[in-house]
Amino acid sequence: MANGTMGPHLAGQVFDAKWKDKTVADLFTYSRDHMTPSRPHSLPDETYAAITAYILRMNGNEPGDQPLLTDPDALANQQILVPSAD
């Protein structure tokens, strides 16, 4: 997920730098609008929410008790957490 060979970096420092000031809604919308490159928005929104949740979890964001919502407006106030650079 961090090497970016077949697509954008989905973990690690490059991901952190790109997404540190973004919201979960931004990542969900980006995933939905760009995956797959030849057929964006071709999967159910629940699948994009699951993909988004997986990417967040692989980057140290703890999962919640409920599945990630599929409404970008409902996700807009949730910031993507990135590790501190201590």
Side-chain angles (χ1 to χ4, degrees):
M1 288 183 61
N3 69 12
T5 304
M6 301 300 287
H9 294 268
L10 300 177
Q13 292 178 339
V14 174
F15 177 88
D16 294 347
K18 179 174 182 170
W19 293 98
K20 69 179 177 179
D21 296 322
K22 307 279 195 244
T23 67
V24 175
D26 294 328
L27 181 58
F28 171 81
T29 302
Y30 180 87
S31 298
R32 185 186 62 194
D33 293 349
H34 291 88
M35 290 188 204
T36 62
S38 63
R39 293 183 59 219
H41 210 300
S42 60
L43 300 171
D45 282 350
E46 292 78 13
T47 302
Y48 290 110
I51 291 167
T52 301
Y54 179 76
I55 292 169
L56 292 170
R57 187 166 185 197
M58 293 297 101
N59 284 282
N61 291 260
E62 292 295 323
D65 295 334
Q66 301 292 320
L68 197 64
L69 300 173
T70 60
D71 177 13
D73 290 338
L75 302 172
N77 65 345
Q78 299 175 20
Q79 287 297 124
I80 295 175
L81 304 176
V82 297
S84 62
D86 292 354

